[in-house]
């Protein structure tokens, strides 16, 4: 069997298995990096994921264990530093001089620790080693987590993954100078990296191949039928036809979230305050002034006067900025904060551009409309925490946050840029949604609504209403009565994408990052995008067993 390039490279880079267990005790680095002992050095590494979340409870990594080579039982826990990140985390730790390797990454929910939601991903020794020198910085760049699915062995299934050194050149100087200024000022000018090792060519081959498996985490209707998605490792992918997606090279490894078409090209933005613009998608992407390295730009749009709006998150704070056409001025228009603690609550702010003259903003229990000049023209009370999406047909729909799924908060939508609002029917039948699961709707101009949902049926024996495991696309009229059910789709394909769907073509996302599409209202579905391609190029875990 001819293995794809990633399989041959993985023979050297190694595979590992995801483990689920209770956390054990490890020695940790000093909590206050400002009290760094004189003979200690510092290591910084970014861990990013080629997936939108680790699982339904755990979003991303919360710690990294490193082990000293000559004292393998002596472990240190690196903790996240700074803000302004999306799906990645930057770990910083103070360590005594010596030679180390990354042993594993862990994820806890919440970050204060909960043994009922804990995950460990071992890192193989083939990732490499690094050296800590007194009073100096060791920067390991970006390490990429690539899940490879599940394989069966001796009648049991195991989840397989690999870690890849994706970018060894990233130094994080600017990030650390703001996130840990006292520590950064104490470090010498010399910066160390990974130790020189064999198998460098194979490692580069693996990183290149894994990079082809980038997934989309945000989806963008750019007008005129142009659809794109953004995601981890600088991914921008453009849809060029049915089942045809092309990756655009941006030259960065940041996770990108925002994307907009402008008067003179395109703009993309994402974590660590990165904002870039280009005359065309295949042109040179130039970095412009952003909100700062501790901020993540989640959304941007250009208005009729050339200015921009940007929604930015930094820790527990969300800020809506009005941005000048040349990006030189970022003016705060609205700021809101969440709360920390054992059960943290993120700031609740979501926005969409209803046209090039106004945006609609939900947050803090209020609904606001702002014009192109940055002025608030409407500010009124709104029930519940909402997320807000704009559809290609011009409709804007706000839905309750999943935490409000079983409350009385209703979907609301508008067809006229927020001048008037319609509420979804309060008489939706029992089978419309399983309790605790609320999905996005695609609202048609005649007020019919399409959603991925679970059809109910009466069990012959218990006489209780049960629900199918596979979702279907269902249509309800404006009174809430379901008038049509489509065919079943795979149980992990349950996220409707109204932001890129039209009445003629409806997209849904699966948990592995693939997209499916229907052009007959759910009677049939076809795959439109698969990470890494399909056929022999697809990353199938079964192909790796002979190579391990």
């Amino acid at each position: 069997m001819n293995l794809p390039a990633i399989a041959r490279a993985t023979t050297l880079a190694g595979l590992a298995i995801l483990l689920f267990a209770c956390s054990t005790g490890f020695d940790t680095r000093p909590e206050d990096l400002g009290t760094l002992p004189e003979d200690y050095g510092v290591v910084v590494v970014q861990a990013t994921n080629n997936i939108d979340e680790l699982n339904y409870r755990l979003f991303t990594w919360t710690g990294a264990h490193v082990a000293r080579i000559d004292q393998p039982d002596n472990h240190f826990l690196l903790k996240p530093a700074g803000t302004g990140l999306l799906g990645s985390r930057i770990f910083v730790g103070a360590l005594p001089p010596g030679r180390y390797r990354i042993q594993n990454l862990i994820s806890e929910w919440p970050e204060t620790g909960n043994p009922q939601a804990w995950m460990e991903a071992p890192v193989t020794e083939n990732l490499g080693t690094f050296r800590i020198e007194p009073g100096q910085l060791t920067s390991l760049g970006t390490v990429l987590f690539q899940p490879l699915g599940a394989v069966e062995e001796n009648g049991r299934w195991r989840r397989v993954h690999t870690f890849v050194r994706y970018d060894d050149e990233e130094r994080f100087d600017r990030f650390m100078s703001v996130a840990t200024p006292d520590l950064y000022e104490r470090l010498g000018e010399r910066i160390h990296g990974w130790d020189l090792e064999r198998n460098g060519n194979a490692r580069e081959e693996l990183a290149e191949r894994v990079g082809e498996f980038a997934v989309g985490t945000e989806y963008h209707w750019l007008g005129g039928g142009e659809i794109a998605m953004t995601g981890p490792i600088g991914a921008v992918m453009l849809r060029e036809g049915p089942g045809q997606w092309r990756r655009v090279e941006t030259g960065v490894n940041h996770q990108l979230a925002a994307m907009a078409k402008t008067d003179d090209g395109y703009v993309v933005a994402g974590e660590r305050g990165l904002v870039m613009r280009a005359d065309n998608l295949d042109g040179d992407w130039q970095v412009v002034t952003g909100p700062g390295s501790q901020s993540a730009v989640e959304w941007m749009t250009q208005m009729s006067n050339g200015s921009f709006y940007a929604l930015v998150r930094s820790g527990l704070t969300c800020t809506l900025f009005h941005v000048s056409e040349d990006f030189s001025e970022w003016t705060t228009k609205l700021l809101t904060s969440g709360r920390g603690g054992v059960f943290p609550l993120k700031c609740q702010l979501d926005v969409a551009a209803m046209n090039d003259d106004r945006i609609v903003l939900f947050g803090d229990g209020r609904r606001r409309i702002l014009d192109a000049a940055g002025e608030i023209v409407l500010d009124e009370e709104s029930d519940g925490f909402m997320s807000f999406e704009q559809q290609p047909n011009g409709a804007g729909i706000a839905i309750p946050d999943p935490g409000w799924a079983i409350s009385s908060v209703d979907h609301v939508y508008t067809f006229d840029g927020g001048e008037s609002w319609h509420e979804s029917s309060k008489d939706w039948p029992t089978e419309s949604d399983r309790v605790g699961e609320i999905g996005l709707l695609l609202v048609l101009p005649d007020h019919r609504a399409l959603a991925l949902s679970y059809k109910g049926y009466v069990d012959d024996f218990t006489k209780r209403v049960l629900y199918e495991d596979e979702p279907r696309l269902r249509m309800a009229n404006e009174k809430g009565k379901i008038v049509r059910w489509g065919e079943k789709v795979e149980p992990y394909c349950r996220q409707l994408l109204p932001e890129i769907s039209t009445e003629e073509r409806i997209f849904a996302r699966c948990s592995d990052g693939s997209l499916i599409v229907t052009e007959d209202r759910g009677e049939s579905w076809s795959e439109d995008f698969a990470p890494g391609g399909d056929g022999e190029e697809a990353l199938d875990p079964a192909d790796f067993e002979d190579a391990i």
Side-chain angles (χ1 to χ4, degrees):
M1 176 173 56
N2 292 324
L3 299 176
I6 188 171
R8 297 194 299 272
T10 305
T11 306
L12 298 173
L15 296 178
I17 307 167
L18 291 180
L19 302 178
F20 295 82
C22 293
S23 178
T24 57
F26 289 89
D27 294 329
T28 61
R29 57 126 171 104
E31 290 297 326
D32 182 5
L33 288 175
T35 63
L36 175 70
E38 292 296 333
D39 63 338
Y40 272 40
V42 173
V43 61
V44 56
V45 60
Q46 180 180 30
T48 192
N49 309 312
N50 219 357
I51 193 171
D52 58 342
E53 60 184 15
L54 301 179
N55 63 34
Y56 73 100
R57 282 189 176 182
L58 301 172
F59 173 59
T60 191
W61 307 109
T62 58
H65 287 123
V66 299
R68 191 164 172 169
I69 300 301
D70 60 348
Q71 300 174 15
D73 294 330
N74 192 2
H75 303 141
F76 292 83
L77 175 62
L78 310 183
K79 295 184 178 180
T83 59
L85 299 167
L86 295 169
S88 70
R89 290 294 179 267
I90 293 179
F91 299 105
V92 179
L95 305 172
R99 192 161 166 252
Y100 296 82
R101 75 176 185 87
I102 301 176
Q103 187 179 53
N104 58 43
L105 267 65
I106 63 171
S107 181
E108 298 175 304
W109 184 91
E111 293 191 7
T112 53
N114 178 355
Q116 295 181 345
W118 191 91
M119 180 171 135
E120 175 191 13
V123 178
T124 61
E125 295 183 10
N126 289 325
L127 187 68
T129 61
F130 60 92
R131 185 172 296 277
I132 295 295
E133 299 289 348
Q136 295 180 4
L137 175 66
T138 298
S139 179
L140 303 180
T142 298
V143 172
L144 176 66
F145 169 72
Q146 175 65 62
L148 300 175
V151 298
E152 186 177 10
E153 186 177 80
N154 299 325
R156 300 182 64 181
W157 288 90
R158 57 175 182 160
R159 299 175 64 189
V160 184
H161 69 271
T162 188
F163 284 95
V164 181
R165 282 158 49 177
Y166 192 75
D167 183 356
D168 293 353
E169 302 301 321
E170 185 73 61
R171 294 307 186 196
F172 304 112
D173 297 62
R174 183 179 300 177
F175 183 88
M176 289 189 63
S177 67
V178 178
T180 56
D182 294 339
L183 170 67
Y184 184 75
E185 291 176 359
R186 294 188 56 182
L187 298 175
E189 294 183 1
R190 185 178 180 185
I191 299 179
H192 304 274
W194 292 97
D195 290 339
L196 294 177
E197 298 181 60
R198 297 175 297 173
N199 305 327
N201 291 336
R203 190 174 286 116
E204 291 178 3
E205 181 184 11
L206 175 62
E208 181 179 355
R209 185 72 179 101
V210 166
E212 298 174 4
F213 283 79
V215 298
T217 54
E218 300 293 337
Y219 302 86
H220 312 277
W221 178 269
L222 302 176
E226 193 174 33
I227 296 174
M229 54 184 170
T230 52
I233 55 176
V236 173
M237 283 162 282
L238 179 69
R239 188 177 192 264
E240 296 186 318
Q244 298 176 359
W245 292 78
R246 177 174 62 88
R247 178 162 181 167
V248 176
E249 295 301 327
T250 59
V252 299
N253 63 5
H254 299 59
Q255 180 165 337
L256 300 177
M259 184 174 185
K261 198 167 187 176
T262 66
D263 293 338
D264 55 1
Y266 297 84
V267 61
V268 296
E271 63 184 9
R272 287 188 275 151
L274 178 71
V275 182
M276 299 192 300
R277 70 188 314 171
D279 295 337
N280 58 78
L281 289 174
D282 295 313
D284 293 329
W285 289 92
Q286 298 180 340
V287 178
V288 297
T289 303
S293 66
Q294 301 300 300
S295 300
V297 183
E298 297 188 339
W299 173 89
M300 288 193 78
T301 193
Q302 187 176 41
M303 308 304 289
S304 58
N305 60 4
S307 66
F308 292 85
Y309 276 106
L311 180 61
V312 174
R313 189 182 301 272
S314 180
L316 296 174
T317 300
C318 290
T319 307
L320 179 71
F321 286 99
H322 191 236
V323 187
S324 62
E325 186 174 4
D326 62 357
F327 296 95
S328 62
E329 297 180 13
W330 290 66
T331 305
T332 299
K333 304 306 298 184
L334 185 68
L335 185 147
T336 182
S337 297
R339 67 165 186 261
V342 177
F343 298 102
L345 178 66
K346 291 183 178 181
C347 51
Q348 298 288 335
L349 205 63
D350 210 356
V351 61
M354 298 312 303
N355 51 51
D356 59 3
D357 288 318
R358 63 168 53 191
I359 65 169
V360 177
L361 182 76
F362 281 87
D364 286 344
R366 305 199 66 79
R367 180 168 58 214
R368 300 174 177 90
I369 296 178
L370 290 85
D371 63 18
E375 299 300 323
I376 297 176
V377 297
L378 176 69
D379 187 343
E380 60 186 9
E381 186 176 352
S382 174
D383 292 332
F385 294 125
M386 296 284 186
S387 63
F388 190 49
E389 294 288 353
Q390 182 187 18
Q391 300 177 181
N393 65 4
I397 181 163
I399 68 167
D401 182 83
W404 294 75
I406 57 176
S407 73
S408 59
V409 179
D410 297 304
H411 298 72
V412 294
Y413 57 94
T414 179
F415 285 108
D416 54 15
E419 293 290 341
S420 61
W421 294 86
H422 308 272
E423 290 188 359
S424 62
S425 172
K426 298 182 182 296
D427 300 320
W428 289 44
T430 305
E431 68 267 25
S432 64
D433 289 286
R434 291 198 293 203
V435 173
E437 295 196 25
I438 276 192
L440 292 173
L441 298 176
L442 178 66
V443 180
L444 305 182
D446 59 5
H447 300 275
R448 290 179 297 169
L450 294 158
L452 282 172
S453 190
Y454 299 87
K455 188 175 183 180
Y457 63 95
V458 178
D459 182 75
D460 293 335
F461 180 73
T462 65
K463 305 304 180 183
R464 296 175 57 187
V465 176
L466 303 178
Y467 299 93
E468 296 175 339
D469 293 327
E470 300 87 357
R472 303 170 184 256
L473 188 68
R474 61 114 173 99
M475 178 185 290
N477 62 23
E478 63 177 314
K479 295 183 179 180
K481 181 181 179 181
I482 294 178
V483 296
R484 180 180 178 182
W485 286 96
E487 293 298 314
K488 296 179 181 178
V489 299
E490 295 293 337
Y492 55 87
C493 300
R494 57 185 183 182
Q495 180 185 351
L496 193 70
L497 298 176
E499 61 266 43
I500 59 172
S501 295
T502 64
E503 189 170 354
E504 297 78 22
R505 183 181 297 116
I506 300 170
F507 291 90
R509 188 185 192 276
C510 306
S511 58
D512 64 353
S514 60
L515 301 182
I516 57 176
V517 64
T518 178
E519 296 183 350
D520 53 16
R521 305 280 177 86
E523 291 299 317
S524 62
W525 293 83
S526 60
E527 185 177 76
D528 196 72
F529 170 80
D534 52 18
E536 295 182 357
E537 295 299 316
L539 199 159
D540 184 352
D543 292 340
F544 294 88
E545 292 187 321
D546 294 337
I548 297 175

